[in-house]
Amino acid sequence: AFCVPMVTSVHSSHLNAELGYAGGLRSFYNKHFLGATLKRARAAIMISGYVRRGTKRIFDIESKSLPVVYHGGGVVEKLKAHGWLPTLDHERNGDILFVGSLQPYKRVDALLHAYARVVDRNRNRVVPRLNVVGKSVDGSALQLQKLAQALGIEGQVEFLGQVSDKELIGLYEQSKLMVLPSEIEGFGLPVIEAMQAGIPVVISNRCALPEIGGDAALVADPDDFSRLAQCIETGLWEPAVRRQMIERGFVHGERFGWAKCAQETFDILRSSVNRMA
């Protein structure tokens, strides 16, 4: 009988569900359908090595073809394709930026705790504002605003909610530092966007972020607020480190592109069809 080959692409919802960060419907799908799909598929494209390792472990599919194909660079890559160039200036003035939904696993709470320490330890400096970009989830924005108030930093933190691509580009143009302390992240698109925009990046030591950030990012455990604060201070005020991070990040960020992603995906599709011959 003729059988059409199946190729699927897998993100990280099953990893979120494993740690309790997914609703009932998504957990049901991951348990009863995703595993069957993976076993049926001729190839399953993973968006990172982190997702690949977790998928193998959860579904026990060691023999399956699970190639890794990284995403591209989002709004920054799109603008650069039309001639936009970032300012690679290690002395750039601007704010600290977080981009991502306000899910608990994004660990904005850790960022607020670390930022409060930065403010407290640097009263003789002008500490940049913290701009938090992302959709509130189940009242998370209000909870985080209350935490900022409890930490005494509510006047220096701006919760911007969801923003347009134009507004996001404006934030990338003026921001001095990006911080993404997630404990679950299948890829981490804001890291690549920030690097391609010439912004130093601080990331967590968990999930796919060390893999995606490479040697161009500062790394901290999101539960170690003091270390996270230290990384923020280094990224803000140590010129030699900032310069190195910007230069490394710009080179590293260029390794991720949608044309490369498309070509690698096409090659996998073609290989899957050719195996039928």
Side-chain angles (χ1 to χ4, degrees), residues 6-196:
M6 177 192 294
V7 176
T8 190
S9 179
V10 178
H11 288 219
S12 58
S13 64
H14 54 302
L15 303 179
N16 296 21
E18 183 183 41
L19 295 178
Y21 290 119
L25 184 60
R26 182 171 291 181
S27 295
F28 179 84
Y29 168 82
N30 289 324
K31 181 177 180 180
H32 296 283
F33 292 98
L34 181 55
T37 299
L38 289 168
K39 291 176 182 178
R40 161 76 172 81
R42 182 154 293 175
I45 298 171
M46 305 286 124
I47 61 172
S48 65
Y50 163 75
V51 172
R52 186 175 190 266
R53 292 187 297 274
T55 301
K56 281 189 171 186
R57 173 176 47 77
I58 292 172
F59 296 104
D60 191 24
I61 47 175
E62 285 293 332
S63 62
K64 181 65 65 174
S65 174
L66 303 176
V68 173
V69 176
Y70 292 124
H71 287 335
V75 294
V76 175
E77 181 182 348
K78 181 179 178 181
L79 269 188
K80 289 176 71 176
H82 291 84
W84 178 81
L85 292 175
T87 302
L88 301 182
D89 180 6
H90 74 277
E91 295 181 349
R92 177 197 297 192
N93 292 318
D95 299 325
I96 302 168
L97 180 64
F98 167 90
V99 177
S101 65
L102 305 187
Q103 297 275 7
Y105 60 80
K106 296 288 186 175
R107 297 305 307 272
V108 180
D109 63 314
L111 175 53
L112 293 177
H113 278 284
Y115 180 73
R117 295 192 179 205
V118 172
V119 171
D120 185 61
R121 296 195 309 218
N122 294 275
R123 295 189 179 277
N124 60 331
R125 297 180 186 263
V126 176
V127 178
R129 291 175 57 82
L130 171 60
N131 290 319
V132 177
V133 173
K135 179 182 179 181
S136 180
V137 180
D138 297 328
S140 57
L142 180 58
Q143 296 171 13
L144 291 167
Q145 288 168 0
K146 289 181 178 178
L147 176 58
Q149 186 175 20
L151 292 169
I153 54 173
E154 70 275 16
Q156 292 167 269
V157 180
E158 186 79 20
F159 290 89
L160 300 175
Q162 288 183 289
V163 300
S164 67
D165 285 355
K166 183 178 180 180
E167 291 170 321
L168 183 57
I169 284 294
L171 288 165
Y172 280 134
E173 286 182 316
Q174 68 86 32
S175 295
K176 190 178 180 72
L177 186 71
M178 157 79 76
V179 185
L180 191 64
S182 303
E183 61 184 28
I184 304 176
E185 202 77 55
F187 180 72
L189 181 60
V191 172
I192 302 304
E193 290 182 322
M195 288 181 176
Q196 291 183 346

